Amino acid sequence: MLGAIIGDIVGSVYEYENHKSTEFELFDEECEFTDDTVLTVAVADWLLSDKACTEVELQKKLVDYAKSYIESGYGLHFLMWILHPKKEVGEDGSPIEVRRPYDSYGNGSAMRCSAVGWMFETLEETERVAAISASVTHNHPEGVKGAQATAAAIFMARSGSSKEEIRSYIESKYGYGLNCTCDEIRPIYEYDVTCQGTVPEAIIAFLESTDYESAIRLGVSLGGDTDTLCCITGGIAEAYYKHIPKEMAEKALSYLPEGFVRVLQKMKEETVYGKIVG
């Protein structure tokens, strides 16, 4: 999960000024965590506190975290979902606030779901809960698929699957084409905030990498929505390589509020995350 957060922080500088190379300073002085990190931590907190994985509790976590870090760069539709719920009448006649999904296929569903890949004992359960994590907002089939594919890749990576097994499963189950290389993607890839235009590229950056750091560098080099792309890439790479360089981990943690660090620590203490990632 820290792997996803590092991807967000490193990629934050290049989101609107793409850097089509793997050569760059990992932690630029303008780096910061964005909405990707805020909502990644929110989903982790939900999973840790709500063992039934209900949509009601997930909504509460997303709203609480987003409102607490409201300037973190949310998409317009998500921001409207947070700040302007529908006003309806409850069964007892009293006014209630209702937030409904808005048929999004944006990549926000995929960037926030890395904790799902660490939480469960089966791939089937991982995919089921990934769908819940997406569908409270991103209920378009592509939005749900993006979250499921990301969480499935993380589950498979942390469970010992090979890169070829991950590639084959994601291609056959979710229909993403993963046979392009980063060198083929880089010259033509442009800013894209959809799941279908981000998740395949993020997975390819992981597949082509040789270690955690190279995965992040490849992700940045593709361009596009780099903080989100690298958040997805970093989450999968951490699960596969089971190691993040100490200096990268320590630097990233220095950007985070104490509450975020506490959630990460709880993930280590209460899930397989702490037993697998060195």
Side-chain angles (χ1 to χ4, degrees):
M1 190 175 127
L2 180 59
I5 291 171
I6 292 173
D8 173 43
I9 294 171
V10 172
S12 65
V13 179
Y14 304 106
E15 180 178 7
Y16 299 112
E17 295 184 15
N18 287 173
H19 182 81
K20 298 277 187 167
S21 167
T22 57
E23 298 299 320
F24 57 89
E25 190 71 28
L26 278 172
F27 292 95
D28 184 278
E29 62 181 11
E30 295 184 7
C31 281
E32 60 184 354
F33 70 83
T34 77
D35 58 319
D36 299 47
T37 290
V38 176
L39 301 183
T40 292
V41 175
V43 170
D45 199 357
W46 165 60
L47 294 171
L48 289 164
S49 60
D50 178 23
K51 301 307 181 183
C53 301
T54 62
E55 291 187 4
V56 170
E57 293 303 315
L58 173 58
Q59 280 197 19
K60 290 178 182 178
K61 290 294 183 185
L62 293 176
V63 170
D64 287 348
Y65 274 83
K67 284 186 174 180
S68 296
Y69 299 91
I70 200 65
E71 301 293 333
S72 295
Y74 308 99
L76 177 60
H77 289 101
F78 182 81
L79 199 58
M80 293 294 289
W81 184 83
I82 291 293
L83 297 178
H84 300 288
K86 305 289 185 184
K87 306 293 184 180
E88 298 186 5
V89 177
E91 292 182 0
D92 62 356
S94 62
I96 58 173
E97 293 184 344
V98 177
R99 291 178 173 85
R100 302 194 187 283
Y102 44 90
D103 200 36
S104 175
Y105 48 82
N107 55 25
S109 61
M111 61 79 166
R112 71 190 186 210
C113 74
S114 61
V116 180
W118 290 98
M119 193 64 61
F120 304 101
E121 296 182 1
T122 68
L123 181 55
E124 292 74 17
E125 186 68 356
T126 298
E127 291 170 318
R128 184 187 74 82
V129 177
I132 297 172
S133 78
S135 61
V136 292
T137 52
H138 295 56
N139 60 326
H140 188 282
E142 291 290 346
V144 174
K145 184 170 81 172
Q148 288 181 306
T150 301
I154 291 171
F155 175 88
M156 294 180 72
R158 59 102 159 169
S159 301
S161 295
S162 69
K163 287 184 178 180
E164 193 49 48
E165 287 170 332
I166 295 169
R167 184 200 306 271
S168 177
Y169 181 80
I170 298 300
E171 284 187 326
S172 63
K173 179 70 180 285
Y174 295 105
Y176 291 144
L178 302 178
N179 285 312
C180 292
T181 67
C182 289
D183 284 345
E184 291 170 330
I185 296 168
R186 193 177 294 113
I188 60 174
Y189 188 60
E190 298 180 346
Y191 191 80
D192 192 325
V193 297
T194 68
C195 274
Q196 57 269 40
T198 306
V199 176
E201 290 76 12
I203 296 174
I204 288 168
F206 152 68
L207 292 170
E208 199 169 309
S209 66
T210 56
D211 57 19
Y212 176 79
E213 182 176 329
S214 75
I216 298 301
R217 290 186 177 278
L218 283 168
V220 166
S221 78
L222 294 181
D225 188 7
T226 52
D227 58 337
T228 296
L229 193 154
C230 291
C231 183
I232 297 166
T233 299
I236 303 168
E238 177 187 31
Y240 183 82
Y241 295 113
K242 299 173 175 59
H243 173 71
I244 295 173
K246 183 178 179 181
E247 60 274 19
M248 290 182 71
E250 291 179 346
K251 183 66 174 177
L253 288 170
S254 72
Y255 287 84
L256 302 182
E258 289 184 8
F260 290 15
V261 176
R262 284 196 296 270
V263 173
L264 279 166
Q265 186 59 38
K266 197 172 181 183
M267 280 286 294
K268 287 186 175 182
E269 293 171 354
E270 297 186 14
T271 75
V272 297
Y273 180 66
K275 299 174 184 177
I276 292 177
V277 177

